[in-house]
Amino acid sequence: EDQVTQSPEALRLQEGESSSLNCSYTVSGLRGLFWYRQDPGKGPEFLFTLYSAGEEKEKERLKATLTKKESFLHITAPKPEDSATYLCAVQAKYNFNKFYFGSGTKLNVKP
Amino acid sequence: SQTIHQWPATLVQPVGSPLSLECTVEGTSNPNLYWYRQAAGRGLQLLFYSVGIGQISSEVPQNLSASRPQDRQFILSSKKLLLSDSGFYLCAFADGQVYEQYFGPGTRLTVT
């Protein structure tokens, strides 16, 4: 069964304290893995797409990496404005219209 | 640029009443369109998707239905709402040239 598990459920960091969020997945043929940021009461905002193991993408303080079983979202020197829920989703080759989402990691960065 | 709109932003409806949520996309043609529901503290659950006008695929059998009367319009409906229909409803689109889905601002539905 295709599924996505994110950990931890919640993470509290001090401003400037770097850390990583984990997304473990099982899927019958990965077409793409996606990271989104979601602020309270709003729709998810697209961050990255990763297609194959070994691939990395960066955007400001965020870097996403991908292996055959998991993806990490590394946050370097976070700021309070990075506080949000980060969602991971996978897309299977056999049905590219179906995204499997994890339940997210709620990040809180204290000043 | 591509944009996606949803309305209303919030809705409070009694049990047994009908529902109509609308989603429109601008700046692209023939997008794939999606309806999701997000329960509190949970991941997104795909409800319906559409690859063209009049083409609807249902992922979860339930009290809801979807329609696509125009290329960039997607509607989520119900004839009689249940308490369990409460949640945050999100519309998304994907351009056929890329893989990622882009989400609208969402509708918060509370069934009382």
Side-chain angles (χ1 to χ4, degrees):
Chain A
E1 180 182 340
D2 299 333
Q3 62 180 11
V4 176
T5 302
Q6 291 188 247
S7 62
E9 290 185 9
L11 181 62
R12 297 182 68 176
L13 299 174
Q14 287 297 125
E15 184 172 1
E17 179 186 3
S18 301
S19 188
S20 297
L21 313 182
N22 177 263
C23 171
S24 297
Y25 66 91
T26 56
V27 64
S28 302
L30 180 70
R31 191 172 193 240
L33 184 140
F34 307 86
W35 283 98
Y36 290 85
R37 169 192 170 127
Q38 186 174 26
D39 292 306
K42 298 192 175 181
E45 174 189 348
F46 169 73
L47 294 174
F48 303 110
T49 304
L50 301 168
Y51 298 105
S52 57
E55 188 175 3
E56 299 182 353
K57 294 268 181 81
E58 286 189 67
K59 180 179 180 180
E60 296 182 352
R61 296 176 292 281
L62 301 177
K63 184 168 91 171
T65 62
L66 180 64
T67 72
K68 289 186 178 180
K69 293 184 178 181
E70 57 191 350
S71 176
F72 292 94
L73 185 65
H74 306 277
I75 303 176
T76 302
K79 298 181 178 182
E81 53 262 42
D82 294 322
S83 297
T85 296
Y86 291 85
L87 299 171
C88 171
V90 297
Q91 180 188 45
K93 288 182 179 178
Y94 64 86
N95 183 353
F96 62 88
N97 282 302
K98 190 162 185 176
F99 277 31
Y100 295 89
F101 277 87
S103 55
T105 293
K106 186 173 182 179
L107 175 65
N108 187 5
V109 182
K110 295 289 190 181
Chain B
S1 63
Q2 299 168 332
T3 56
I4 179 169
H5 305 278
Q6 286 185 245
W7 63 89
T10 60
L11 190 60
V12 180
Q13 292 284 93
V15 169
S17 64
L19 173 73
S20 181
L21 303 181
E22 189 166 344
C23 170
T24 58
V25 180
E26 297 176 353
T28 186
S29 296
N30 195 32
N32 291 346
L33 297 172
Y34 308 85
W35 278 113
Y36 287 87
R37 178 168 58 203
Q38 185 176 34
R42 305 283 298 276
L44 278 66
Q45 178 189 34
L46 179 64
L47 302 175
F48 302 93
Y49 68 88
S50 171
V51 298
I53 296 174
Q55 300 179 59
I56 307 296
S57 296
S58 174
E59 287 296 310
V60 181
Q62 58 202 332
N63 189 41
L64 302 170
S65 62
S67 62
R68 184 171 177 173
Q70 300 181 42
D71 181 44
R72 289 167 287 179
Q73 183 185 31
F74 206 21
I75 297 173
L76 183 69
S77 303
S78 174
K79 291 183 179 178
K80 290 185 178 182
L81 283 169
L82 306 172
L83 286 174
S84 57
D85 291 323
S86 294
F88 192 47
Y89 288 81
L90 291 156
C91 180
F93 76 94
D95 185 308
Q97 304 301 315
V98 298
Y99 291 6
E100 55 265 16
Q101 296 181 9
Y102 295 91
F103 287 84
T107 295
R108 174 72 60 190
L109 171 66
T110 303
V111 182
T112 60

